[in-house]
Amino acid sequence: MFNVIKSLRLFLVGKALQDTEQESQKFGVGWGLPILSSDAISSVAYACEEILLILIPVMGVAAYAPTLGAVAAVIAVLFILVYCYRQAIDLYPQGGGAYSVARDNLGRGSSLFAGAALIIGYVLTVAVSACSGTAAITSAFPQAIPYKVALTLFFIALLTIGNLRGIRESSVLFGIPAYLFIIIIVSMIVVGIVKAVVFGVTPAPSSAGLPSLGSNLTLALFLMAFSSGCSGLTGVEAVSNSVPNFKEPQQRNSKVTLSILAGIVFVIFGGVSVLVAIYKVAPMPDVTVISQVASSVFGTGSVMFYVVQGATAIILFLAANTAYSGLPQLMSLLARDGFLPHRFSTRGTRLVYSSGIIFATITSAVLVIGFKADVHLLVPLYAVSVFLSFTIAQGGMCKHWFVDKGKSWLHRALLNGFGALVTTVVCVTIVIAKFEYKAWVVLILIAIKVWLMLNIKRHSDHVETSLATTENVRNIIRRHPPRSKIIVPLQKITKAFIKTLNYAMSLGGEVEVYHVAVEGEDIEEFKRQYAELGIGRIPLVIEKTTYRDIN
């Protein structure tokens, strides 16, 4: 049975990689862009629709001009966030995004709230993206609607396997479809605008049956629409969270990727929104807005209609891959700081943080089943967690500039402060506007997550203190005459090791201490600590390995 499981794992995941191969697993701008930007790019499939769902029921066919205004405001916030995260990349090349910014500038409490919000946001990224991809499929093939939960879980499983195989393989596997989506959507935007503006071809709009209510646009209504459209900004922070996954020069490649991402989102989100206004597309049950746009531009049932639907479904599924890249990296930082179990800080067979990947899969699957793969129920929860982390990141950067007072610090601080104000307004608006959808539940979940992390830290500190050696403990190692050879494995010099060593010597034999050194470990420092025990007569054997798992 064990051999069968091992063979299956080898087939699905691949052979183990050595630590020395880690650099070859990193990606450059070319592959990093589709892997880390697919979430933000794919949000075009539902962000504009979320705005229309707020405005059309109140304003009818008069809603399209305010829709474009809301889209323009969302894009403006996008560029503020990109500016903030470019600075974060320079200051925190170890990754972690909002968590690292808050940890160094706002203290433990804020950093844990940022970390908890990001973890929940990434899990919701997987759930929302996978459900949106399924919605694109069921829009083209309505007969698949009864199976949307099963379809969503199936695609999450495929993403999990792809990411467990390693960064390099997943970047190639998921990168090509992302580029195809960009090309296809840009082509649809160009063709749609040319048909309408140059040739005057505009099919009957789906909003034809809507009355022109003519209700006045209030500030509250616009803020609700704007905050709903801000779901299109999710995924922007992924690049700053994943800086260590880039090839050298890591910071430069990360910033270039982030800038290109902003340009692509501007073109695609803005272009599709213009098409929605031109063709007067309105949200419909079980048919996505982007599906209606493709139908208006290329014709229902045409080859290009199905190409757009297929490309949209794929990019939405791949958007979940952004979380699979950013979440494990973030959880590894939290684990190294003692706020998550140590296992999240170790790389698996293929040099990826496997525990973080599996965590994302299990928790997102629970959400998909619990919410029955309904995108509109998940998006408000998604947006709250993401914008809370945005607010903390902007606030942390603002404080950094006031304390650091470097070059041009004042205008940077003001811009970050304005960004923090905007993202706070968005976050509060979402909680209020989506109160009936229980968006506030995310705040409770974040608080629970923070409480859990504090307890994990308390426990790990207690264990560390209990196992820590002192001079007195090091001097109570017992002396016994040798009889037979006994090997004592040693990972770290602690009280537990000393007790084990004392027991081994009590058996009356020749004792040898055996240590396996992993890549990057300071062997000379380890030898110095061992020498301080004063047991030079017991040999220390150190064997180096290029793998993480020494079992």
Side-chain angles (χ1 to χ4, degrees), residues 9-301:
R9 191 180 78 163
L10 182 64
F11 172 73
L12 294 175
V13 179
K15 70 179 183 67
L17 296 174
Q18 299 183 29
D19 287 326
T20 52
E21 299 177 79
Q22 188 168 329
E23 189 62 32
S24 67
Q25 290 294 302
K26 296 181 179 182
F27 42 62
V29 175
W31 292 120
L33 177 65
I35 289 297
L36 297 174
S37 65
S38 53
D39 181 17
I41 293 172
S42 68
S43 60
V44 65
Y46 53 79
C48 186
E49 184 168 352
E50 292 297 318
I51 296 175
L52 293 173
L53 285 169
I54 298 296
L55 295 178
I56 281 188
V58 178
M59 303 186 68
V61 294
Y64 294 102
T67 295
L68 292 179
V71 169
V74 171
I75 291 174
V77 175
L78 165 69
F79 286 110
I80 293 175
L81 289 173
V82 168
Y83 178 78
C84 171
Y85 282 112
R86 280 178 61 89
Q87 296 170 336
I89 289 170
D90 282 331
L91 295 172
Y92 304 99
Q94 76 274 17
Y99 170 71
S100 295
V101 173
R103 182 186 58 192
D104 287 359
N105 298 287
L106 300 177
R108 172 186 284 192
S110 296
S111 68
L112 290 182
F113 270 99
L118 283 169
I119 289 173
I120 293 172
Y122 275 132
V123 169
L124 284 163
T125 296
V126 178
V128 170
S129 300
C131 291
S132 299
T134 301
I137 292 176
T138 55
S139 294
F141 303 99
Q143 59 269 30
I145 291 176
Y147 310 104
K148 61 181 183 179
V149 173
L151 277 172
T152 305
L153 294 177
F154 171 73
F155 286 112
I156 288 176
L158 289 182
L159 284 170
T160 303
I161 294 171
N163 280 279
L164 287 174
R165 292 191 66 88
I167 295 174
R168 183 173 59 186
E169 290 196 31
S170 64
S171 64
V172 176
L173 180 64
F174 301 139
I176 294 175
Y179 279 123
L180 289 176
F181 172 79
I182 295 171
I183 294 170
I184 290 167
I185 296 300
V186 169
S187 300
M188 182 180 73
I189 292 170
V190 172
V191 172
I193 292 176
V194 169
K195 284 180 67 175
V197 176
V198 178
F199 298 102
V201 179
T202 51
S206 60
S207 62
L210 292 175
S212 179
L213 299 180
S215 298
N216 292 329
L217 177 67
T218 63
L219 177 61
L221 181 64
F222 181 80
L223 283 175
M224 288 173 63
F226 164 66
S227 61
S228 294
C230 282
S231 59
L233 300 179
T234 55
V236 173
E237 78 289 343
V239 177
S240 67
N241 283 337
S242 304
V243 176
N245 289 335
F246 280 91
K247 292 180 178 178
E248 294 290 350
Q250 292 179 330
Q251 289 161 286
R252 177 184 174 279
N253 287 337
S254 301
K255 292 198 293 183
V256 169
T257 300
L258 189 58
S259 299
I260 296 174
L261 161 64
I264 292 174
V265 172
F266 170 74
V267 172
I268 292 182
F269 185 30
V272 170
S273 300
V274 168
L275 290 183
V276 166
I278 290 174
Y279 290 96
K280 301 294 186 291
V281 175
M284 295 173 60
D286 299 324
V287 181
T288 62
V289 162
I290 199 165
S291 173
Q292 295 179 60
V293 171
S295 178
S296 299
V297 173
F298 296 117
T300 305

